[in-house]
Amino acid sequence: MPSKGFARVSLYNIQLHDAAVGVPNGVHPASFLLARYASEDKLPLPVLQKYFDGRAPTLTTAFVIPAFDIPPLVSDKPTNHQSRDLYPLNRTRDFPRHILCLRVKSKKKLEKTRDMVQEKLRGVFDFEKDDLWFRGMNVKALMLSMSFFVPVISTSNSDEFGPGIYASNDFDEGAKYAHPQGALMIFKNPDFRDLSVWETGKDEWNNLTATWLNIYKKEVKISDSHIDADVIKGPLSSDQHEARKRGRYPTQSEITQITCVSYDSCGALANSLVAIVYFHP
């Protein structure tokens, strides 16, 4: 028992309840939880200071966004949204500030989904006459594209014109990569006037696709136009798998595809983005 003075004792009524809390990667769990409870006034600051030896950290706020889901702002009615509101991590300056967005429920058949999209966007686009280009993907790939709009290099893909950002002039061709759960980017009138656009002839197309599809042909020779091209434009093949299997040139379809193969052309395509359609089951 002390003979002189008094011992100061502080009592705190701390009540914490069981809860599952996600801790960000690279953060010490105890420090994260203590700082969080202090910011919510569930933990007295002196207790926090005691843990940190008298040096309590500055309380910060972390925002967790559904990065790989359909953005919450998107509805089943065509609505313009700021791209930064849709994707706060968007750092590609070439995208327009506002983007038209639409969420639609996928039908079992892609054709019915297409008809519904065209009906909802009637008056916004003329799908028969407008210069529209379509690129479909899953929502994770879309989020990554909105952050950095460049092609992802893969050794296992079957891109006919090599690495690049692809889009086709056919709604169904683009949408099949997004259906039944994904996103379809719609581009209108991409401005390639100051860029080198290589429109492949039949022999050039044969040699280019055979090279990138790894179809051995002894007489293959790539055109010099490939070296300086910013955009490659040509038909989409209709029987890629069969051509590879039999070691022959693919057959050209009626669908046209463009491939942006330079930073300038990727930027020009990004600038022409006018709408994103989200499919959900």
Side-chain angles (χ1 to χ4, degrees):
M1 177 180 296
S3 58
K4 294 183 180 180
F6 298 90
R8 183 182 297 273
V9 178
S10 298
L11 298 178
Y12 301 102
N13 183 17
I14 301 174
Q15 294 185 353
L16 300 176
H17 301 282
D18 290 341
V21 178
V23 179
N25 289 333
V27 177
H28 192 279
S31 302
F32 174 79
L33 291 174
L34 288 173
R36 169 177 170 161
Y37 291 139
S39 67
E40 296 175 352
D41 294 327
K42 295 180 179 178
L43 187 70
L45 192 57
V47 175
L48 187 66
Q49 291 174 327
K50 182 70 174 178
Y51 174 79
F52 286 100
D53 194 23
R55 296 183 298 276
T58 302
L59 300 180
T60 59
T61 302
F63 296 95
V64 179
I65 60 173
F68 301 127
D69 295 326
I70 297 177
L73 293 174
V74 180
S75 70
D76 57 359
K77 295 182 179 180
T79 309
N80 280 296
H81 297 287
Q82 290 196 35
S83 57
R84 282 291 178 86
D85 291 339
L86 295 167
Y87 294 100
L89 299 181
N90 172 21
R91 59 186 178 190
T92 303
R93 298 179 181 178
D94 294 311
F95 284 119
R97 185 173 181 180
H98 292 88
I99 301 173
L100 182 71
C101 295
L102 173 67
R103 184 183 63 208
V104 296
K105 184 176 178 61
S106 298
K107 301 298 183 181
K108 188 173 183 179
K109 292 185 177 181
L110 177 58
E111 294 81 1
K112 292 186 177 182
T113 304
R114 176 196 61 210
D115 293 343
M116 182 169 56
V117 170
Q118 293 185 356
E119 179 62 30
K120 285 180 175 289
L121 295 179
R122 190 179 303 277
V124 180
F125 303 124
D126 187 328
F127 283 86
E128 299 298 326
K129 297 180 180 180
D130 287 342
D131 182 22
L132 300 177
W133 298 88
F134 307 93
R135 176 176 174 81
M137 66 204 75
N138 60 48
V139 290
K140 180 177 181 179
L142 173 62
M143 190 273 177
L144 297 175
S145 296
M146 295 299 292
S147 176
F148 195 22
F149 196 62
V150 293
V152 175
I153 307 301
S154 172
T155 58
S156 61
N157 62 19
S158 300
D159 294 336
E160 298 174 338
F161 295 166
I165 295 286
Y166 283 71
S168 76
N169 65 349
D170 183 78
F171 180 97
D172 289 1
E173 177 62 28
K176 75 180 185 181
Y177 294 98
H179 194 267
Q181 188 170 1
L184 180 68
M185 304 177 82
I186 302 178
F187 306 92
K188 183 177 180 180
N189 299 326
D191 187 359
F192 298 142
R193 288 175 297 178
D194 296 329
L195 303 176
S196 174
V197 179
W198 176 32
E199 297 194 37
T200 59
K202 180 61 181 293
D203 290 339
E204 293 174 327
W205 185 89
N206 282 339
N207 291 333
L208 182 66
T209 56
T211 298
W212 287 113
L213 295 179
N214 197 27
I215 300 174
Y216 177 73
K217 306 294 286 187
K218 189 175 181 180
E219 65 274 18
V220 164
K221 184 180 184 301
I222 300 299
S223 169
D224 291 338
S225 299
H226 179 270
I227 298 174
D228 299 321
D230 294 299
V231 180
I232 302 175
K233 184 176 183 179
L236 182 75
S237 70
S238 61
D239 59 350
Q240 183 185 112
H241 177 74
E242 189 68 17
R244 299 178 76 170
K245 180 179 179 181
R246 297 183 178 276
R248 62 166 174 79
Y249 292 124
T251 302
Q252 295 184 353
S253 73
E254 297 298 320
I255 300 173
T256 300
Q257 63 182 352
I258 55 174
T259 308
C260 296
V261 295
S262 70
Y263 283 109
D264 288 340
S265 61
C266 287
L269 185 64
N271 189 254
S272 70
L273 178 65
V274 289
I276 301 176
V277 178
Y278 295 87
F279 301 132
H280 69 95

